[in-house]
Amino acid sequence: MAKEALDDDRYRAPALDKGLDILELLAGVDGGLTQAEIAKRMGRNANEHYRMLDRLVKRGYVTRIDGDRYALSLKLFGLAHMHAPVRRLVSYATPLMRELAEKSRQANHLVVFDRGAAVVIAQQEAPGYWGLSLRLGAHIDMIDTGSGHILLAFRSPEERAVMLREYADNGGRADTTPEFDAKLESVRARGYEIMPSLQTASVTNLSVPVLGVDGRAIAALTTPYVPIKNAEAPEMEATIALLLETSQEISKAAGLEIG
């Protein structure tokens, strides 16, 4: 009976579908879209979307930028952030990440894989003048970042395949090679990733896993390492050691540690 109801779509809610279509469209666009551009991409008349856009703006899910452009706000991320497991992980990780930032003199952030995307769920800025930090809710590349490598490396080959398929369905590039698979195995064997940032010059991504009881990566803890001329700033190897120590403390504090 339930399957038949789904098949003939007898419980359609056109207004809800229209709102969700707009949110999903804006989620995949940088810089926002005008009302006309939204209508064109959705194959509909611009006037059909005016009332829905107005409601989404008033409810805080969409914001207006540059006068006539509409962009997704962070409200949806905030709702997801209220989800108990993520909220619990962030609450335990935050003070430890703050301590890590103080000791390393570098920024750091925590990334999880969620429904086809690698998402920044917590971040700490560097305590000094210099540092590179990512905004909360940012979606980052799975293939070309240290965090993505960690999330994939500390999963089984079958789980990796599912994650990459979801990532590709979400608009990501998931055309991996045997060399990439071998790289992930080397990351797992080493216990961390160290790689030049492919997004920012002079930055080295240092990433370690936050492991669950089954040895799978629940999250990736990453420092975008920036060379600092400061006697108090640890060298790269010492920063990796601090990251590994912090990730283990997060696992322990959140009740994720093995054994």
Side-chain angles (χ1 to χ4, degrees):
M1 180 73 73
K3 184 178 185 302
E4 292 176 359
L6 289 174
D7 287 344
D8 65 16
D9 212 11
R10 70 182 67 174
Y11 299 119
R12 288 181 66 248
L16 176 60
D17 286 337
K18 190 182 298 182
L20 293 174
D21 288 343
I22 292 173
L23 293 177
E24 290 174 357
L25 174 63
L26 294 178
V29 175
D30 289 328
L33 295 170
T34 65
Q35 184 180 344
E37 289 169 337
I38 291 172
K40 182 178 180 180
R41 294 201 184 195
M42 298 179 67
R44 296 180 179 178
N45 187 290
N47 292 330
E48 293 184 50
H49 299 294
Y50 177 77
R51 186 177 300 178
M52 182 60 67
L53 279 168
D54 182 66
R55 294 310 306 161
L56 290 171
V57 170
K58 283 184 168 58
R59 293 295 298 269
Y61 291 97
V62 170
T63 184
R64 297 192 68 161
I65 57 175
D66 298 331
D68 63 346
R69 305 187 75 80
Y70 295 87
L72 202 63
S73 74
L74 288 179
K75 184 170 183 177
L76 283 174
F77 172 74
L79 292 176
H81 197 64
M82 293 168 62
H83 185 50
V86 173
R87 189 169 67 245
R88 177 185 174 198
L89 178 59
V90 171
S91 68
Y92 285 114
T94 297
L96 296 169
M97 293 171 65
R98 188 180 304 119
E99 184 178 349
L100 170 64
E102 289 292 337
K103 289 181 178 179
S104 67
R105 314 304 294 174
Q106 303 277 348
N108 62 78
H109 54 267
L110 195 66
V111 179
V112 299
F113 183 81
D114 179 49
R115 290 168 293 181
V119 185
V120 178
I121 62 169
Q123 64 91 21
Q124 287 292 320
E125 296 185 355
Y129 291 110
W130 304 101
L132 176 67
S133 60
L134 302 184
R135 64 174 174 81
L136 285 176
H139 287 200
I140 63 175
D141 197 286
M142 291 288 292
I143 308 299
D144 293 335
T145 65
S147 295
H149 291 179
I150 287 294
L151 293 172
L152 292 169
F154 288 85
R155 294 294 182 104
S156 69
E158 294 76 18
E159 288 176 308
R160 288 180 200 168
V162 171
M163 292 168 72
L164 288 170
R165 186 163 57 249
E166 290 183 2
Y167 180 62
D169 290 343
N170 204 35
R173 176 179 62 84
D175 52 339
T176 59
T177 63
E179 290 76 17
F180 181 73
D181 292 333
K183 177 178 179 57
L184 293 181
E185 292 302 328
S186 69
V187 169
R188 186 183 183 104
R190 186 168 58 235
Y192 60 87
E193 175 64 300
I194 174 171
M195 59 177 287
S197 171
L198 300 181
Q199 291 76 35
T200 308
S202 303
V203 172
T204 302
N205 288 329
L206 310 177
S207 303
V208 302
V210 176
L211 298 175
V213 294
D214 54 4
R216 298 158 64 214
I218 302 300
L221 178 63
T222 295
T223 283
Y225 184 88
V226 179
I228 301 174
K229 293 182 179 180
N230 184 330
E232 298 180 359
E235 296 293 333
M236 195 177 296
E237 289 187 5
T239 302
I240 293 172
L242 288 171
L243 276 163
L244 289 167
E245 178 184 343
T246 302
S247 70
Q248 292 167 4
E249 290 176 350
I250 292 173
S251 291
K252 182 177 179 180
L256 302 172
E257 76 276 23
I258 298 173

